Amino acid sequence: MQTFRLHRRSNGRDQLEVPLRGRALLAHPMYNKGTAFSAEERRTFGLEGMLPDRTSSQEVQKKRTYQAIVRKDDAIERYIGLAALQDRNEALFYQLLEEHLDEFLPIVYTPTVGQACKKYSHIFRRGRGLWITPRDKGRVNEILGNAPYEDVRLIVVTDNERILGLGDLGAGGIGIPIGKLALYTVAAGIHPSQCLPISLDVGTDNEELLNDELYVGIRERRLRGEAYDALVEEFVGAVKKRFPKALLQWEDFKKANAFRLLDRYADRLLSFNDDIQGTAAVTLAGVMAGCRIVGQRPAEQRVLILGAGAAGIGIARQLREWLRRDGVAGEDLTRAIAVLDSRGLLIDDGNLSDEYKQEFAWQPEDGQAVGIDPNGARDLETVIRAVKPTVLLGTSGQPGIFTERVIQAMQAGTERPIILPISNPTANTEARPEDLIRWTKGRALVATGSPFDPVEHAGKIHEIAQGNNVYIFPGVGLGALAVQADRITDRLFTVAADALAECISEDDLAAGRLYPPMKGLREITRHIALTVAQACVEDGLAEPAEELEAAVDSLMWKPEYPEYVPA
Ligand SMILES: NC(=O)C1=CN([C@@H]2O[C@H](COP(=O)(O)OP(=O)(O)OC[C@H]3O[C@@H](n4cnc5c(N)ncnc54)[C@H](OP(=O)(O)O)[C@@H]3O)[C@@H](O)[C@H]2O)C=CC1
Ligand SMILES: CC(=O)C(=O)O
Ligand SMILES: [Mg+2]
């Protein structure tokens, strides 16, 4: 492991101690600045003759690289181009990503990252992050010792079993931690040397991958049960030992493991589950924005969530707190949130497929109270007609399941439905915004998990904001790290949702946007981080700190080339 010595200086120009020279320097993505090395640096670091004559400014370098990427028509080729840049020159990669966030976010993140994960073994160029397999049992600490840098503050880890709405993608799932951490750097400014993507490659049950001769992951069926738990336990212990200041984000674990691991480790490790907690906060902020547009209170809402997995149940928990804050209680509170899984409305009839669903299952009499026969139909349309929801959320990963009939049923019960089909990637969305807008004659308030173009209807442009946890996790992570919190709680996600809601302007609402424009992500993240840092202190999760702003800002790296000095 290397120590990456970046000195933050008050004049704004960071200084970097560089331990490499010549070819090794040019080959190292964290130190290489390619044609931007000055004549003096080329002399000092033994680079003379190894680069073309002219020193490029950062601007010229960015222009050249941008052109090289957008010359490619195909999204996956752009992904490969950007990944190659990240592996060649990290600072330039982040400069480009920050400047062209609207254009490149859909490449490094949903939807293209989904394709990249699917094709991972076919487009593999070079490893990034760490893999831990069942063969590493007993030596996980040693594997973590192979991380490239020692001051790791952020880990995003997946076991690859539920990658977006695409299911078990085996070793290819590492694309998600890599993408999430790139967003931590862009949005929260966490330095890339402090970020570590990890794949718990515990095998795969994906037949196509098991039969693919190019597959790069461990070619075994998934590890399950006690052996799985023991490997995760060893991993968590090793993280605490090696990287005691790090925050760990659980990402894209399948529902049962997602809940179990969060419950088991939330109090033992600075950690959270992005799909359960981050998604909940971003959804709450979007629903709050929808309520501002329709001029209604939380207590007037009835919510239907299709999908009772990590995202759906996490959202149900956050929304329940939100309704409670507005005075909703007792059976009204239970009946204000209807959650459906693949078998329909969750009803406590002794047949729930997962124990964790109990928390939101209705009693048979709750169903009867709104006209749902506990022994009869409880499918989406039936439940909508009975419950008359004002808010419809899609977390099922099922493409097109919000059909015209379903949306007409919504419309029959409410004038301006708030509809968020947030499943990813694009192809897995429950409904396309243009259909939702058309079917409701422009009345639906819509946000989606993956990006969509604005929709024109009857001469009006409807902006489709992206209801994605990227608005939340960087701010929560940055806030918690800034005050060195010892734990992350659900309340931090409630305050993060409130802070995000504060960033949604009247102009956004007038344009039908349920979230602020993505180009402001860094400022939004900073605002959320400050709020979260403050909440950590108030809740006793961190020591009181006087200069919260300075603590947050000191972690926010700008991807500019520092001044180089020999180590
Ligand atoms: N926009 C964002 O920020 C985020 C979006 N997501 C997206 O949400 C989706 C779900 O993720 P997650 O909750 O983690 O996945 P899970 O696998 O944990 O849960 C999926 C849920 O959908 C249910 N489901 C599947 N088919 C149907 C169906 N036909 N009708 C009703 N319900 C169905 C499943 O039912 P059962 O339990 O019966 O199997 C399960 O409860 C993914 O596409 C993911 O990309 C996730 C996190 C963040
Ligand atoms: C966005 C995200 O975390 C997901 O789709 O899983
Ligand atoms: Mg996820």
Side-chain angles (χ1 to χ4, degrees):
M1 271 196 284
Q2 284 180 9
T3 308
F4 188 82
R5 290 215 169 82
L6 184 69
H7 304 287
R8 320 303 299 269
R9 294 194 308 180
S10 52
N11 64 6
R13 185 98 205 270
D14 296 339
Q15 197 176 62
L16 182 63
E17 286 182 31
V18 180
L20 305 169
R21 288 175 59 78
R23 180 71 47 210
L25 174 52
L26 293 180
H28 198 299
M30 206 67 87
Y31 295 103
N32 177 32
K33 38 176 158 161
T35 55
F37 279 113
S38 68
E40 191 188 331
E41 286 169 335
R42 293 176 192 205
R43 259 194 310 281
T44 310
F45 292 101
L47 300 174
E48 285 173 304
M50 299 178 79
L51 289 161
D53 178 69
R54 184 177 285 239
T55 294
S56 300
S57 67
Q58 208 164 291
E59 283 311 307
V60 167
Q61 236 188 352
K62 245 190 301 187
K63 198 179 278 180
R64 183 183 301 120
T65 319
Y66 175 74
Q67 284 174 5
I69 301 291
V70 297
R71 197 177 298 134
K72 302 167 197 288
D73 294 331
D74 192 23
I76 195 76
E77 290 302 326
R78 288 185 180 194
Y79 179 93
I80 292 169
L82 283 168
L85 174 61
Q86 189 178 14
D87 287 341
R88 191 165 72 236
N89 180 340
E90 295 234 11
L92 185 56
F93 168 77
Y94 284 109
Q95 287 163 26
L96 209 64
L97 199 51
E98 191 176 292
E99 193 163 309
H100 301 278
L101 190 61
D102 280 340
E103 193 173 357
F104 290 156
L105 188 68
I107 305 290
V108 298
Y109 196 47
T110 181
T112 308
V113 70
Q115 265 191 68
C117 291
K118 274 174 103 167
K119 296 184 177 167
Y120 186 75
S121 294
H122 291 248
I123 62 173
F124 181 82
R125 305 293 201 266
R126 152 178 202 170
R128 171 171 281 267
L130 292 178
W131 281 268
I132 293 165
T133 77
R135 287 187 207 134
D136 300 319
K137 184 81 187 65
R139 45 193 292 273
V140 175
N141 185 40
E142 215 177 295
I143 304 289
L144 292 189
N146 291 337
Y149 308 101
E150 64 184 14
D151 186 23
V152 171
R153 299 295 176 94
L154 260 177
I155 293 171
V156 177
V157 62
T158 184
D159 77 351
N160 313 297
E161 196 176 7
R162 197 288 278 145
I163 296 298
L164 308 176
L166 303 170
D168 180 350
L169 296 189
I174 187 83
I176 296 295
I178 291 172
K180 294 267 174 185
L181 285 165
L183 295 176
Y184 262 113
T185 299
V186 171
I190 308 296
H191 194 274
S193 67
Q194 296 180 318
C195 298
L196 182 62
I198 297 185
S199 170
L200 296 178
D201 183 2
V202 292
T204 178
D205 290 339
N206 181 326
E207 296 296 335
E208 208 181 313
L209 296 178
L210 288 170
N211 293 323
D212 182 351
E213 63 167 353
L214 298 188
Y215 182 58
V216 294
I218 189 159
R219 201 182 289 266
E220 285 172 9
R221 296 219 161 259
R222 275 190 175 272
L223 189 71
R224 305 231 178 242
E226 281 175 22
Y228 174 94
D229 285 357
L231 187 66
V232 175
E233 177 71 17
E234 184 183 335
F235 165 68
V236 167
V239 165
K240 286 178 70 134
K241 194 166 164 194
R242 281 272 176 198
F243 309 119
K245 290 181 176 175
L247 182 159
L248 182 143
Q249 174 167 320
W250 305 102
E251 189 73 49
D252 287 9
F253 285 71
K254 200 169 171 172
K255 52 187 186 174
N257 283 334
F259 288 108
R260 273 180 341 105
L261 297 180
L262 179 64
D263 290 349
R264 185 169 302 161
Y265 295 112
D267 287 338
R268 285 172 51 192
L269 181 75
L270 179 66
S271 57
F272 67 89
N273 183 298
D274 184 35
D275 301 296
I276 300 175
Q277 296 166 288
T279 313
V282 76
T283 305
L284 171 56
V287 172
M288 286 160 84
C291 289
R292 271 167 72 189
I293 295 177
V294 296
Q296 288 180 359
R297 287 182 41 191
E300 296 172 79
Q301 307 310 310
R302 289 175 306 281
V303 181
L304 188 149
I305 305 173
L306 185 77
I313 296 290
I315 293 168
R317 287 176 181 166
Q318 249 330 322
L319 291 183
R320 182 174 54 191
E321 276 317 298
W322 175 65
L323 296 177
R324 216 177 247 153
R325 281 196 270 167
D326 201 39
V328 186
E331 63 189 23
D332 290 342
L333 186 57
T334 304
R335 294 174 193 169
I337 301 177
V339 184
L340 281 72
D341 68 5
S342 60
R343 304 194 299 186
L345 180 67
L346 299 184
I347 294 191
D348 186 10
D349 57 2
N351 286 317
L352 288 172
S353 56
D354 302 87
E355 209 175 305
Y356 72 79
K357 291 175 181 164
Q358 192 73 42
E359 191 182 342
F360 287 94
W362 286 17
Q363 293 307 312
E365 51 273 27
D366 294 316
Q368 279 157 347
V370 295
I372 296 174
D373 174 358
N375 301 312
R378 53 169 95 165
D379 61 280
L380 178 59
E381 196 184 326
T382 303
V383 177
I384 290 181
R385 294 208 183 272
V387 173
K388 298 185 177 50
T390 54
V391 178
L392 175 64
L393 306 173
T395 58
S396 65
Q398 300 302 305
I401 198 164
F402 292 169
T403 59
E404 186 167 4
R405 275 182 68 97
V406 164
I407 299 307
Q408 276 166 356
M410 275 300 285
Q411 184 88 84
T414 187
E415 173 66 18
R416 298 208 69 189
I418 299 167
I419 306 180
L420 278 69
I422 62 162
S423 290
N424 295 315
T426 315
N428 289 63
T429 191
E430 284 82 2
R432 301 183 68 84
E434 64 259 38
D435 291 332
L436 293 173
I437 301 284
R438 187 162 41 87
W439 295 335
T440 60
K441 299 193 172 53
R443 294 201 196 95
L445 297 163
V446 178
T448 48
S450 295
F452 278 90
D453 289 336
V455 175
E456 191 183 344
H457 179 82
K460 186 171 178 230
I461 303 289
H462 298 254
E463 300 264 358
I464 309 300
Q466 197 178 342
N468 193 294
N469 50 30
V470 64
Y471 278 112
I472 296 292
F473 66 80
V476 171
L478 175 60
L481 287 178
V483 290
Q484 293 182 26
D486 55 19
R487 208 153 41 89
I488 305 238
T489 59
D490 277 343
R491 195 183 93 86
L492 297 184
F493 288 90
T494 308
V495 303
D498 287 340
L500 174 57
E502 285 163 12
C503 299
I504 304 168
S505 69
E506 291 303 318
D507 284 351
D508 292 329
L509 300 179
R513 268 196 306 265
L514 299 183
Y515 297 99
M518 199 58 91
K519 66 176 170 350
L521 187 60
R522 200 162 162 114
E523 271 314 301
I524 296 164
T525 297
R526 182 176 181 277
H527 177 65
I528 295 174
L530 284 170
T531 312
V532 166
Q534 181 71 45
C536 287
V537 173
E538 284 166 11
D539 293 358
L541 304 170
E543 296 293 322
E546 292 199 345
E547 296 291 338
L548 283 185
E549 286 202 50
V552 167
D553 289 341
S554 70
L555 290 178
M556 293 189 80
W557 172 72
K558 283 205 184 65
E560 285 160 1
Y561 293 132
E563 184 184 314
Y564 279 26
V565 291

mmCIF file of all heavy atoms in Angstrom, residues 37 84 93 143 152 294 331 345 375 404 408 410 438 469 493 495:
data_model
loop_
_atom_site.group_PDB
_atom_site.id
_atom_site.type_symbol
_atom_site.label_atom_id
_atom_site.label_comp_id
_atom_site.label_asym_id
_atom_site.label_seq_id
_atom_site.Cartn_x
_atom_site.Cartn_y
_atom_site.Cartn_z
ATOM 1 N N PHE A 37 2.560 17.819 -18.171
ATOM 2 C CA PHE A 37 3.812 18.015 -17.420
ATOM 3 C C PHE A 37 4.579 19.202 -18.010
ATOM 4 O O PHE A 37 4.780 19.265 -19.230
ATOM 5 C CB PHE A 37 4.694 16.755 -17.501
ATOM 6 C CG PHE A 37 4.289 15.675 -16.528
ATOM 7 C CD1 PHE A 37 3.774 14.465 -16.987
ATOM 8 C CD2 PHE A 37 4.441 15.859 -15.162
ATOM 9 C CE1 PHE A 37 3.410 13.459 -16.093
ATOM 10 C CE2 PHE A 37 4.088 14.853 -14.256
ATOM 11 C CZ PHE A 37 3.556 13.657 -14.725
ATOM 12 N N ALA A 84 -10.853 3.944 -19.503
ATOM 13 C CA ALA A 84 -9.429 3.954 -19.874
ATOM 14 C C ALA A 84 -8.774 5.253 -19.404
ATOM 15 O O ALA A 84 -7.646 5.256 -18.912
ATOM 16 C CB ALA A 84 -9.290 3.797 -21.385
ATOM 17 N N PHE A 93 -9.744 12.641 -15.727
ATOM 18 C CA PHE A 93 -11.036 11.946 -15.763
ATOM 19 C C PHE A 93 -12.059 12.735 -14.937
ATOM 20 O O PHE A 93 -13.179 12.998 -15.399
ATOM 21 C CB PHE A 93 -10.852 10.531 -15.195
ATOM 22 C CG PHE A 93 -12.138 9.795 -14.898
ATOM 23 C CD1 PHE A 93 -12.885 9.223 -15.920
ATOM 24 C CD2 PHE A 93 -12.604 9.671 -13.589
ATOM 25 C CE1 PHE A 93 -14.067 8.534 -15.651
ATOM 26 C CE2 PHE A 93 -13.779 9.003 -13.309
ATOM 27 C CZ PHE A 93 -14.510 8.424 -14.341
ATOM 28 N N ILE A 143 -5.607 -9.569 1.943
ATOM 29 C CA ILE A 143 -6.096 -9.051 0.644
ATOM 30 C C ILE A 143 -6.307 -7.541 0.750
ATOM 31 O O ILE A 143 -5.918 -6.783 -0.144
ATOM 32 C CB ILE A 143 -7.431 -9.730 0.227
ATOM 33 C CG1 ILE A 143 -7.286 -11.243 0.179
ATOM 34 C CG2 ILE A 143 -7.947 -9.162 -1.111
ATOM 35 C CD1 ILE A 143 -6.450 -11.777 -0.950
ATOM 36 N N VAL A 152 -7.666 4.805 3.298
ATOM 37 C CA VAL A 152 -8.992 4.583 2.700
ATOM 38 C C VAL A 152 -10.073 5.122 3.641
ATOM 39 O O VAL A 152 -10.080 4.818 4.831
ATOM 40 C CB VAL A 152 -9.215 3.080 2.433
ATOM 41 C CG1 VAL A 152 -10.658 2.804 2.033
ATOM 42 C CG2 VAL A 152 -8.250 2.589 1.364
ATOM 43 N N VAL A 294 -48.735 20.124 -5.813
ATOM 44 C CA VAL A 294 -50.208 19.969 -5.756
ATOM 45 C C VAL A 294 -50.797 20.693 -4.545
ATOM 46 O O VAL A 294 -52.023 20.738 -4.390
ATOM 47 C CB VAL A 294 -50.638 18.477 -5.754
ATOM 48 C CG1 VAL A 294 -50.233 17.810 -7.043
ATOM 49 C CG2 VAL A 294 -50.064 17.723 -4.573
ATOM 50 N N GLU A 331 -54.139 2.941 12.710
ATOM 51 C CA GLU A 331 -54.485 2.206 11.491
ATOM 52 C C GLU A 331 -54.460 3.119 10.257
ATOM 53 O O GLU A 331 -54.238 2.660 9.137
ATOM 54 C CB GLU A 331 -55.831 1.487 11.626
ATOM 55 C CG GLU A 331 -57.003 2.416 11.832
ATOM 56 C CD GLU A 331 -58.280 1.647 12.177
ATOM 57 O OE1 GLU A 331 -58.194 0.504 12.679
ATOM 58 O OE2 GLU A 331 -59.360 2.203 11.952
ATOM 59 N N LEU A 345 -50.508 -7.284 -2.827
ATOM 60 C CA LEU A 345 -50.469 -6.540 -1.561
ATOM 61 C C LEU A 345 -49.966 -7.421 -0.419
ATOM 62 O O LEU A 345 -50.415 -8.570 -0.265
ATOM 63 C CB LEU A 345 -51.887 -6.041 -1.237
ATOM 64 C CG LEU A 345 -52.035 -5.237 0.059
ATOM 65 C CD1 LEU A 345 -51.312 -3.892 -0.022
ATOM 66 C CD2 LEU A 345 -53.523 -5.008 0.376
ATOM 67 N N ASN A 375 -58.831 -13.009 0.808
ATOM 68 C CA ASN A 375 -58.697 -14.273 0.063
ATOM 69 C C ASN A 375 -58.905 -14.079 -1.444
ATOM 70 O O ASN A 375 -58.931 -15.043 -2.191
ATOM 71 C CB ASN A 375 -59.702 -15.314 0.579
ATOM 72 C CG ASN A 375 -59.481 -15.581 2.051
ATOM 73 O OD1 ASN A 375 -58.350 -15.795 2.474
ATOM 74 N ND2 ASN A 375 -60.549 -15.495 2.832
ATOM 75 N N GLU A 404 -51.154 1.349 -19.089
ATOM 76 C CA GLU A 404 -52.139 2.422 -19.234
ATOM 77 C C GLU A 404 -53.334 2.170 -18.306
ATOM 78 O O GLU A 404 -53.850 3.095 -17.674
ATOM 79 C CB GLU A 404 -52.589 2.514 -20.696
ATOM 80 C CG GLU A 404 -53.501 3.695 -20.933
ATOM 81 C CD GLU A 404 -53.714 3.994 -22.409
ATOM 82 O OE1 GLU A 404 -53.210 3.245 -23.261
ATOM 83 O OE2 GLU A 404 -54.401 4.998 -22.687
ATOM 84 N N GLN A 408 -54.627 4.643 -15.513
ATOM 85 C CA GLN A 408 -56.012 5.134 -15.522
ATOM 86 C C GLN A 408 -56.680 4.886 -14.170
ATOM 87 O O GLN A 408 -57.454 5.703 -13.682
ATOM 88 C CB GLN A 408 -56.807 4.484 -16.646
ATOM 89 C CG GLN A 408 -56.582 5.216 -17.956
ATOM 90 C CD GLN A 408 -57.059 4.433 -19.164
ATOM 91 O OE1 GLN A 408 -57.500 3.287 -19.049
ATOM 92 N NE2 GLN A 408 -56.951 5.057 -20.327
ATOM 93 N N MET A 410 -55.125 4.893 -11.340
ATOM 94 C CA MET A 410 -54.576 5.949 -10.470
ATOM 95 C C MET A 410 -55.346 7.249 -10.677
ATOM 96 O O MET A 410 -55.758 7.918 -9.741
ATOM 97 C CB MET A 410 -53.110 6.243 -10.838
ATOM 98 C CG MET A 410 -52.038 5.406 -10.239
ATOM 99 S SD MET A 410 -51.972 5.443 -8.453
ATOM 100 C CE MET A 410 -51.256 7.020 -8.046
ATOM 101 N N ARG A 438 -48.653 11.268 -21.301
ATOM 102 C CA ARG A 438 -49.732 11.186 -22.308
ATOM 103 C C ARG A 438 -51.002 10.575 -21.689
ATOM 104 O O ARG A 438 -52.092 11.107 -21.830
ATOM 105 C CB ARG A 438 -49.235 10.343 -23.487
ATOM 106 C CG ARG A 438 -50.165 10.308 -24.697
ATOM 107 C CD ARG A 438 -49.426 9.845 -25.944
ATOM 108 N NE ARG A 438 -48.511 8.747 -25.702
ATOM 109 C CZ ARG A 438 -48.842 7.457 -25.720
ATOM 110 N NH1 ARG A 438 -50.063 7.094 -25.996
ATOM 111 N NH2 ARG A 438 -47.931 6.526 -25.485
ATOM 112 N N ASN A 469 -30.549 7.735 -5.946
ATOM 113 C CA ASN A 469 -29.847 7.953 -4.675
ATOM 114 C C ASN A 469 -28.507 8.694 -4.818
ATOM 115 O O ASN A 469 -27.893 9.057 -3.819
ATOM 116 C CB ASN A 469 -29.697 6.648 -3.887
ATOM 117 C CG ASN A 469 -29.130 5.519 -4.707
ATOM 118 O OD1 ASN A 469 -28.360 5.737 -5.641
ATOM 119 N ND2 ASN A 469 -29.503 4.288 -4.352
ATOM 120 N N PHE A 493 -30.722 10.028 7.229
ATOM 121 C CA PHE A 493 -31.317 10.030 5.886
ATOM 122 C C PHE A 493 -32.580 10.897 5.854
ATOM 123 O O PHE A 493 -32.901 11.475 4.820
ATOM 124 C CB PHE A 493 -31.597 8.589 5.427
ATOM 125 C CG PHE A 493 -30.316 7.878 5.094
ATOM 126 C CD1 PHE A 493 -29.616 7.170 6.068
ATOM 127 C CD2 PHE A 493 -29.769 7.975 3.826
ATOM 128 C CE1 PHE A 493 -28.407 6.565 5.779
ATOM 129 C CE2 PHE A 493 -28.558 7.374 3.523
ATOM 130 C CZ PHE A 493 -27.871 6.674 4.508
ATOM 131 N N VAL A 495 -32.860 13.709 7.601
ATOM 132 C CA VAL A 495 -32.380 15.096 7.473
ATOM 133 C C VAL A 495 -31.775 15.330 6.086
ATOM 134 O O VAL A 495 -31.877 16.417 5.529
ATOM 135 C CB VAL A 495 -31.394 15.527 8.605
ATOM 136 C CG1 VAL A 495 -31.997 15.363 9.975
ATOM 137 C CG2 VAL A 495 -30.056 14.832 8.522
#
